[in-house]
Amino acid sequence: MTAGGTRHEGLRPYVELARIDHWFKNIFIVPGIAAALLLEPSTRNPSNAFGTFIAILSACLVASSNYVLNEILDAGTDRHHPSKKNRPVVAGRVRLPFAYAEWALLGAAGLLLGALVSTPLLVSLLALWTMGLIYNVPPIRTKEVLYLDVLSEAINNPIRLLLGWYAVGGSVLPPSSFLLAYWLIGAYLMAAKRFAEYRSIGDPERAARYRSSFRYYTEERLATAMMAYASGFMFFVGVILVKYHVEYIIACPLLMIYLGYYTHLAYQEESVAQNPEKLYRDPLLMFLTILIVVTISVLSVLHLPSLERWLGIAVRGW
């Protein structure tokens, strides 16, 4: 019998459960790779390329495992969401025992692949998979807790940074300022997603039926949280440039424009901010993203002593 007692459609709904289109989110692994190559010269070895590919694939499989579990456990509330009510579990297009088997197999495959690369990578993948349990499974189920829903899901960002770091053979932990900045920009993006969802539903009671934390959220609280997380992100960017590379201050105006434009998107109807995996559909956002990546890449190899003297900052350097 299917989850909804109606029908099943072969393998297709199980592929949908894995949300392969969400693998785009693993682009957040790339800065971890770049940071390791920049900070640890020993990682600049072409032989690491295959291990990096395996690491990214393993992260995608673990992420898909978490997506399957999320959809299984959210079926009861997703039926109150305007678009998520059509997901395979809610629509009764899959058999729940098979869905649980898919969750386990995807997670196991990702972890086994990661173990082929290195133990630190395996531990990072296990952390990513465990966060899926903490976020989704009662009685903890942090996705239902005010503010903790965003902060716990955003932890996946620094975990992805670690995945990139260890994918190329990083031997130590990256600086804490990198991890905290990455966590807070993730929290900002997730708070923007919640804000856009809340506005899109437009009915506090219906929103609360879809997500328990919406019983306590308001537009004001979500907007305030977005500002707080964005401010925290910029603070740790400041720590990074003071401690390691003052040249990054040149990129700060671009980061401010990016945050401002993303906030603007969160206010739009049918905003891509509700679906971060589809952000590539916004041309201006993609232009800003590419511009920031190029700017930071160029600044990473520049050394401007005159800038240090002008700002009165003596950085430690890499």
Side-chain angles (χ1 to χ4, degrees):
M1 185 175 180
T2 60
T6 55
R7 65 188 186 282
H8 60 88
E9 304 169 6
L11 291 177
R12 180 175 178 177
Y14 296 95
V15 174
E16 291 179 26
L17 277 179
R19 301 185 198 173
I20 294 174
D21 59 322
H22 284 48
W23 285 5
F24 176 77
K25 293 179 182 178
N26 287 314
I27 194 71
F28 285 102
I29 291 175
V30 174
I33 295 173
L37 294 174
L38 189 64
L39 297 176
E40 287 203 41
S42 62
T43 62
R44 301 167 195 168
N45 189 335
S47 64
N48 290 330
F50 181 70
T52 302
F53 170 76
I54 295 298
I56 293 174
L57 177 60
S58 64
C60 290
L61 292 174
V62 170
S64 282
S65 175
N66 286 342
Y67 294 144
V68 172
L69 184 65
N70 175 275
E71 188 157 335
I72 292 171
L73 297 181
D74 281 7
T77 54
D78 279 350
R79 62 174 49 95
H80 300 292
H81 190 276
S83 60
K84 294 181 180 180
K85 65 184 179 182
N86 298 316
R87 284 178 168 178
V89 176
V90 182
R93 295 162 53 207
V94 299
R95 301 178 188 272
L96 282 183
F98 292 172
Y100 276 112
E102 181 180 4
W103 162 69
L105 288 172
L106 285 170
L111 293 173
L112 287 173
L113 278 177
L116 296 177
V117 178
S118 70
T119 298
L121 182 72
L122 172 61
V123 172
S124 300
L125 288 166
L126 186 59
L128 183 66
W129 190 77
T130 301
M131 286 308 303
L133 298 178
I134 292 172
Y135 185 71
N136 289 294
V137 180
I140 301 177
R141 195 166 163 82
T142 56
K143 73 179 302 174
E144 304 291 1
V145 183
L146 185 71
Y147 299 122
L148 192 58
D149 61 336
V150 166
L151 291 171
S152 61
E153 186 168 6
I155 287 177
N156 290 337
N157 254 29
I159 291 175
R160 285 188 173 100
L161 188 142
L162 290 173
L163 290 173
W165 183 272
Y166 292 126
V168 293
S171 59
V172 296
L173 280 171
S176 59
S177 51
F178 281 64
L179 294 171
L180 289 167
Y182 225 49
W183 181 26
L184 288 168
I185 189 59
Y188 164 79
L189 295 173
M190 287 309 306
K193 178 181 179 181
R194 295 283 186 273
F195 180 82
E197 283 180 330
Y198 190 86
R199 284 175 52 84
S200 175
I201 295 172
D203 179 355
E205 292 186 7
R206 186 181 176 194
R209 290 195 297 270
Y210 159 62
R211 188 182 294 277
S212 295
S213 60
F214 280 167
R215 293 193 183 99
Y216 313 103
Y217 277 131
T218 62
E219 285 192 28
E220 180 183 358
R221 286 181 175 179
L222 285 164
T224 301
M226 288 167 60
M227 183 184 69
Y229 300 141
S231 299
F233 164 68
M234 292 301 292
F235 170 81
F236 283 107
V237 168
V239 172
I240 291 168
L241 67 88
V242 168
K243 290 185 65 176
Y244 301 108
H245 204 62
V246 73
E247 287 76 11
Y248 285 154
I249 197 171
I250 297 172
C252 284
L254 288 175
L255 294 175
M256 294 166 64
I257 292 170
Y258 189 94
L259 292 170
Y261 182 65
Y262 201 94
T263 301
H264 162 75
L265 289 178
Y267 276 91
Q268 304 307 302
E269 296 294 332
E270 303 298 326
S271 169
V272 295
Q274 293 184 58
N275 301 286
E277 69 280 359
K278 298 178 181 179
L279 293 178
Y280 61 87
R281 294 183 178 180
D282 188 282
L284 180 54
L285 189 70
M286 287 300 95
F287 170 75
L288 289 171
T289 301
I290 293 170
L291 182 59
I292 288 172
V293 169
V294 171
T295 301
I296 290 178
S297 298
V298 171
L299 292 175
S300 295
V301 297
L302 287 182
H303 180 54
L304 305 173
S306 59
L307 186 60
E308 295 179 16
R309 291 193 296 270
W310 178 58
L311 293 172
I313 297 174
V315 299
R316 188 172 69 191
W318 303 124

